[in-house]
Amino acid sequence: HEYAPRYWLINGQAFSDVPEIGVPVGDTLLLRYVNAGIESHWIGLLGLQQQRIGSDGQRLPASYGTVVQSLNAGQTVDALATMPLTAAQDQRFALYDTGLLLHNANQRRTTGELAYGGMMTFLRAIGGTPTSPVGPATTLVNVAPNPTAGNELVTLSAEFASGVTAAEFFTNTAGVAGTGTAMTPVGATASYEFQAGDLSAWPSSFVTFYVRGLGVNGWGPVGSTVLNLDYLGPEIHGMKLEPEPSNGSQSVLLRATGDDQSTGRNDVITATYTIDGGLPETMTLNRIDPVTAMTATLAIETVGGLDEGLHRIEITAEDSLGNLGVPGVVTLTLDLTGPTASVVSLTPDALDLSGAPQVTSVRLDAAITDAPSNGAQSLLANAEGFIDTVGPDGSGFDLFPTDGLFDEFTEDAYFDIPISAFLYRAQGDHLVYVHGLDSAGNWGVVGSGTITIDRGVVDTVGPDIVALNVTLNQLDGVQLATAAVPATITATASDPLLLSNIVAAEWFVDTDPGEGNGFALNAADGTFDLPNETLVAEIDISPWVNGYHTLYVRALDGSGFWGDPVSASLSLGRFYLPLILRSP
C-alpha cells in the first residue's frame, strides 16, 4: 500500500529511450494500448486524431474519433491514427500521457527545471514532403527569477540547437522574424536583462516570451516560456464572524480565505486584521498555499472593550513576493441593548370564574422590536412570558412567531395560555409579562398586559393556616443550654375561595403581640404571589425557658385581612452534660 511509482513507461521504457514510431505518409497505424499499471492514464496524440475502434478485447459497434484515450488500470483500447499526406519528411507528432507526469524520478536539468521523461514518444512521418533548411531550433527558454514582482533584475535566456549570430524575443504574440527585441547572442545561447523597474509598466499577469535565433539557414522556429509577473497581493474571500452579532459576553471567531489564484498564484504567507483602523493583529494560516484558510480569535477583553455599534474589521494577506492584497472588510455588530415588547395584549382580558370557565385558553399577543442602538441592530431569536412574577431569563414559557420563524428585527409573537394557569390565582388584576431575546444574546426590557379574574365574591376574611409543623433541630440528641439551637416552622397559608394573594405571614410564642407585630415567615418559593403559599422560618429557641410553650402562626391577604392564628404546643427541656471531677 506504500507503493509510489517514480517512472512511467511505454513498452518498458521511459522517454527519451522509447523508440519513435515511423509511419509512412498516408498509412494508418493501429495503436494498441494496454494499461498494465495501477493508475489511470489519458493518452493523447498531439496534432492527429485517434479513431477508437475497440476496448477490452471487444470491437466497438461504432468507432468514434477522440483526441485523448482514457485507460483505467487493467483496461485495453484499440485505436487507429492516419499519417496525413501533407506531413513533412521526419515531421513528428507527440504521443504522450496528458496527465503530464513527464519526468523520470524528478530528474532535473542543470538549471533546476524538471527534465522531460516518462510516458512519451513520437510518430515520425516517412516519405513526406522534404523540408527546406531552417534556422536553429530553440531548445530551451528560461526567465529568472520567476515569479517576480519586477523590482529586481530579471534575465531572459535561451539555448539553440546550433550557434546563432542574432536572437530576438517577443511578448505574448510572436511577430515577423527580425522585428523582435534583440538579445545578446553567445555561441548557441542568447540572453536579455530587464533592470529593476523595467517591467513596472507591464500589467501584473502571466507574460509569454517567444524567442527565436538566426543561423546560417536563417531564422529558426520559436521557443517560449511564461513569466509570472505579479504585483498584486492575495484577494480576501469568505469573511465571517461567529457569533455575529455579538453582545461582548464571549470571544468572537474571525474566519476568511486568502486567495492568490487570480493574482499571481503565489503562496499566501501572512495575514493580519485591524479593528476600526487600530494596530494589525496576526491571523493563523492553516497552510502555506495560494489558497489558505485564515482564522483569529477576538478575545472577550477585546470585544468587551468596544463601544456598542458597528465596527469595521479589515483583513489583509501577503504573498511570497511581498505583495499586499486589497483588504477585505467585514462588520462586527456589537449590540448591548435587547429588544422591547411594545405591545402586550390578552384575549379575553377578563375571566369570570364565579362558575365554570367559558374559555379554555387566553390568547397572548405581543409585538417585539429590536430597534437600532448606536447603529447596532440584531434579529430576534426568541420571546418568553411570565405570569405575575418575572423569573430568571430563559425560564418563562416560549412565545411563537406568527410567521413561523424568528428572523426579523420586528416580530409579532403569541401564546395560548391554558385556562389552568389562572384557575388557582387570586381574584383581581394579574400582570402577564413578555420580553424578547435578540440574536446577539440580549434579553430585552419587559412589557406587560393585564388580565382580571372575577370570582363573584367579596373578600371579607383572612387566610387559613394548615399543616403547621415545628421541628426542633437537636445536636446529636443533646440540647445544650448555651447553644443557639434552631427550630424550623413550616405551614401552608390558604386564602378561602382564592380571593386574594397571601402577602405576609408571622409567628409569635405564648403571648399575642398584636397583628403585624410578630416575627416574619417567608414564602418557600421566595415570593408572595399566590392565594396558596408554603411558609417557612428558622427560629432560635435558645432564649426560651424549659417547659411548655405555644407557638402561633397567622397570615395576611392582599385585601388587608389577617387570618386567625393557628397554634402548636412545644415541650422544651434541656439536658446538661455532667461535670465529673476526679482526684489523683
Side-chain angles (χ1 to χ4, degrees), residues 253-278:
L253 179 63
L254 172 62
R255 298 178 183 270
T257 298
D259 186 355
D260 204 60
Q261 285 286 85
S262 61
T263 56
R265 301 180 190 171
N266 291 301
D267 288 341
V268 180
I269 60 171
T270 62
T272 59
Y273 72 92
T274 61
I275 303 177
D276 297 333

Side-chain angles (χ1 to χ4, degrees), residues 141-157 169 171 183 190-200 202 205 207 209 225-231 321:
V141 181
N142 186 53
V143 61
N146 188 17
T148 181
N151 53 2
E152 57 193 331
L153 179 69
V154 177
T155 301
L156 174 65
S157 61
F169 74 86
T171 56
M183 301 176 68
S191 64
Y192 184 91
E193 290 185 345
F194 296 92
Q195 300 299 318
D198 286 352
L199 302 179
S200 60
W202 297 11
S205 62
V207 181
F209 288 101
T225 191
V226 176
L227 170 66
N228 182 358
L229 182 60
D230 182 11
Y231 304 141
L321 296 179

Side-chain angles (χ1 to χ4, degrees), residues 67 78 80 100 140 147 207 247 269 292 340 359 366 390 408 419 423 476 484 490 505 538 544 547 552 567 575:
V67 176
D78 294 324
L80 301 176
L100 299 180
L140 176 66
V207 181
N247 64 359
I269 60 171
T292 184
T340 58
V359 295
V390 178
E408 300 178 58
I419 191 65
L423 290 179
D476 294 332
T490 58
E538 190 171 88
W544 297 7
Y552 298 88
S567 64
F575 301 93

Side-chain angles (χ1 to χ4, degrees), residues 532-543:
N532 293 289
E533 292 283 359
T534 299
L535 310 175
V536 64
E538 190 171 88
I539 63 176
D540 178 13
I541 63 171
S542 61

Side-chain angles (χ1 to χ4, degrees), residues 396-569:
F397 56 85
D398 290 331
L399 276 69
F400 303 108
T402 56
D403 62 0
L405 188 65
F406 282 113
D407 61 352
E408 300 178 58
F409 297 120
T410 297
E411 294 278 2
D412 292 327
Y414 73 94
F415 185 74
D416 291 320
I417 306 173
I419 191 65
S420 59
F422 300 101
L423 290 179
Y424 298 100
R425 295 185 182 271
Q427 177 170 276
D429 292 339
H430 294 267
L431 292 177
V432 177
Y433 299 97
V434 172
H435 68 165
L437 174 69
D438 65 24
S439 55
N442 300 304
W443 284 99
V445 296
V446 175
S448 64
T450 302
I451 186 169
T452 301
I453 297 176
D454 181 10
R455 299 187 180 278
V457 180
V458 176
D459 191 359
T460 59
V461 296
D464 296 327
I465 300 295
V466 297
L468 174 60
N469 184 54
V470 181
T471 302
L472 297 178
N473 301 317
Q474 298 183 1
L475 179 62
D476 294 332
V478 177
Q479 296 178 348
L480 303 180
T482 57
V485 181
T488 301
I489 303 173
T490 58
T492 299
S494 178
D495 196 68
L497 302 179
L498 306 177
L499 297 178
S500 301
N501 287 339
I502 308 301
V503 297
E506 64 180 10
W507 66 272
F508 55 92
V509 63
D510 294 336
T511 303
D512 190 343
E515 293 176 347
N517 297 317
F519 299 98
L521 283 90
N522 301 313
D525 61 3
T527 305
F528 286 109
D529 60 355
L530 293 170
N532 293 289
E533 292 283 359
T534 299
L535 310 175
V536 64
E538 190 171 88
I539 63 176
D540 178 13
I541 63 171
S542 61
W544 297 7
V545 298
N546 286 350
Y548 290 95
H549 297 275
T550 303
L551 186 143
Y552 298 88
V553 171
R554 62 186 166 210
L556 175 68
D557 68 19
S559 298
F561 295 102
W562 284 95
D564 294 330
V566 174
S567 64
S569 296

Side-chain angles (χ1 to χ4, degrees), residues 122-415:
F122 293 90
L123 273 59
R124 179 174 57 84
I126 299 175
T129 304
T131 57
S132 301
V134 295
T138 306
T139 58
L140 176 66
V141 181
N142 186 53
V143 61
N146 188 17
T148 181
N151 53 2
E152 57 193 331
L153 179 69
V154 177
T155 301
L156 174 65
S157 61
E159 297 178 9
F160 304 95
S162 58
V164 294
T165 58
E168 64 180 3
F169 74 86
F170 300 86
T171 56
N172 295 328
T173 302
V176 177
T179 63
T181 301
M183 301 176 68
T184 301
V186 178
T189 65
S191 64
Y192 184 91
E193 290 185 345
F194 296 92
Q195 300 299 318
D198 286 352
L199 302 179
S200 60
W202 297 11
S204 180
S205 62
F206 289 89
V207 181
T208 303
F209 288 101
Y210 295 96
V211 177
R212 63 163 62 98
L214 178 63
V216 294
N217 292 319
W219 289 98
V222 298
S224 65
T225 191
V226 176
L227 170 66
N228 182 358
L229 182 60
D230 182 11
Y231 304 141
L232 303 177
E235 297 176 341
I236 306 298
H237 303 302
M239 293 162 288
K240 188 176 182 182
L241 294 162
E242 299 175 2
E244 166 53 31
S246 170
N247 64 359
S249 63
Q250 63 185 98
S251 59
V252 175
L253 179 63
L254 172 62
R255 298 178 183 270
T257 298
D259 186 355
D260 204 60
Q261 285 286 85
S262 61
T263 56
R265 301 180 190 171
N266 291 301
D267 288 341
V268 180
I269 60 171
T270 62
T272 59
Y273 72 92
T274 61
I275 303 177
D276 297 333
L279 295 175
E281 299 288 344
T282 301
M283 301 184 71
T284 300
L285 277 58
N286 77 326
R287 61 182 178 179
I288 302 299
D289 196 79
V291 179
T292 184
M294 309 179 300
T295 58
T297 299
L298 281 59
I300 295 177
E301 295 79 9
T302 299
V303 179
L306 300 173
D307 294 331
E308 182 176 36
L310 305 179
H311 297 273
R312 179 185 176 92
I313 297 180
E314 291 190 358
I315 302 172
T316 306
E318 179 184 4
D319 67 18
S320 57
L321 296 179
N323 297 313
L324 292 174
V326 176
V329 178
V330 65
T331 299
L332 170 64
T333 303
L334 185 60
D335 187 357
L336 307 179
T337 306
T340 58
S342 56
V343 176
V344 179
S345 63
L346 295 155
T347 307
D349 61 2
L351 293 176
D352 183 358
L353 298 184
S354 59
Q358 302 301 305
V359 295
T360 59
S361 63
V362 174
R363 171 79 172 207
L364 167 63
D365 288 288
I368 305 169
T369 300
D370 193 81
S373 179
N374 296 319
Q377 188 176 21
S378 304
L379 300 176
L380 294 177
N382 199 4
E384 66 177 2
F386 302 90
I387 301 174
D388 287 336
T389 302
V390 178
D393 292 341
S395 65
F397 56 85
D398 290 331
L399 276 69
F400 303 108
T402 56
D403 62 0
L405 188 65
F406 282 113
D407 61 352
E408 300 178 58
F409 297 120
T410 297
E411 294 278 2
D412 292 327
Y414 73 94
F415 185 74

